[in-house]
Amino acid sequence: MIQIPKGCKDVLPSQVYLWHKVEETARKTASAYAFREIRTPVFEHTELFARGVGDTTDIVNKEMYTFLDKGGRSVTLRPEGTAGVARAFLEHGLAGGVMPFKAYYLISAFRYERPQAGRLREFHQFGGELYGAAGPEADAEVIAFAAAFLQNLGLEHVALQINSIGCKSCRARYHEALRTYFAPHLGEMCEDCRTRFEKNPMRILDCKVEGCKSIAANAPRMLDYLCDDCRAHFEQVQSLLTQAGVAFTVNPSIVRGLDYYSRTVFEFVSAAAGAQGTVLGGGRYDTLLEQMGGKAVPAVGFAAGMERLLLVMEAEGKLPAPDDGVECYLAGMDKHSRAQAFLLAQRLRRAGVSCETDLMERSVKAQFKYADKTGARYVAVLGERELAEGAAEVKDMASSASERVKLKDLANYIIQRRK
Ligand code: HAM
């Protein structure tokens, strides 16, 4: 039997209510912050991610699902959502439209990683991107949006950590400081870090190899190298968050795994999620759009990992209750009444009542059992006598109370008793 590819997961009908809850909360929160949905393709030209996400990142170097299509073009399954949104924004000339531009997405993304709990090869993100506003208010608004989403999911133990990784000019000074610091240790560091040393020494701070991690522990910190503008920006972001009641701590070691960031970066971390504790990450990326060939448009955004959120919701005891079953199960006593139940079901559905009827020639007892197992709210029994009266015997499955109800009144009977 063929099995699911490693690192992927099926969501079965019995579990999909969990996803609906998270997606619905995402859409509602986005709407409160006036972000509208954007949908972009699952695959893009490989070049987009190489340039956008950055060719010194693990994502681009090791984790992309890249292949040649039948026309010989290199395409890649999106490893994240930001680059595609930026491409669409530029391609549709939206830089000339109403600003700020605010968009959210609910997407699947693909990274060839070593799978473990909370780390998959196909995973799902809820993300938001805001373009056109360079000031710290935009950073604070995007972070507040992310915090509100987690709060609306009921999560209480997810901590916000923020940092600033400066702009091009102050980062150049910082890179020099990092090179001076790491140069004497190069011999003890992994091969990847030796390449990072040349291309982007800040990436060394994100290395997962123990030896490199312990060397990096005492490396200079970006916060000590911020230029005056970046420092003022970061201070204002913090002040706005405090005023907005969004709790945070400054964590100088956050560098993020993607190259496009500048100034503010942030992560929401849960202790409950185990090793993959970062449930949401983001930051400002003021140079990406220009780097992609557009005009310079300041940008800030975030993305949350849906699978990780569900793990944290479970750990915090915040998973929602399963959906109810249908409102009304129509049970037929014999062949004739089952046929009548089939027709009545169509009428009820047209009236907006969800209902089901027997499709497997089951006995009334077995039909009741099915209705009970699937959580039907009412069971309406149709037999010879009921049909002669133009009525059904309707049982409320929660209270076990029964009542005779005229068939023509059945839809209203159910609608009026909705919770
Ligand atoms: P990221 O930190 O690479 O950022 O991913 C965001 C979130 O996606 C992570 O915090 C994590 O919850 C989830 N995630 C990432 N990789 C996996 C995986 N293999 N399995 C399960 N979940 C995963 C970005 O993707 C940026 N585009 C965020 C952003 C938007 N920055 C600005 N705008």
Side-chain angles (χ1 to χ4, degrees), residues 59 63 79-83 105 110-111 113 116 118-125 127-129 256-258 260-261 266-268 276-285 300-309:
I59 295 179
E63 297 171 359
E80 56 103 55
T82 307
Y105 47 86
F110 306 84
R111 296 182 193 176
E113 296 200 78
Q116 58 185 73
R119 201 210 275 155
L120 294 148
R121 289 184 175 169
E122 184 195 27
F123 60 100
H124 295 79
Q125 287 187 336
E129 314 289 353
R256 308 278 303 132
L258 305 94
Y260 45 60
Y261 293 110
F266 57 91
E267 293 183 345
F268 284 83
Q276 305 302 320
T278 307
V279 293
L280 186 154
R284 180 166 276 289
Y285 52 100
V300 51
F302 74 87
M306 307 282 266
E307 287 82 359
R308 286 189 200 174
L309 282 175

Side-chain angles (χ1 to χ4, degrees), residues 62 95 106 134:
K62 303 179 183 169
L106 282 159

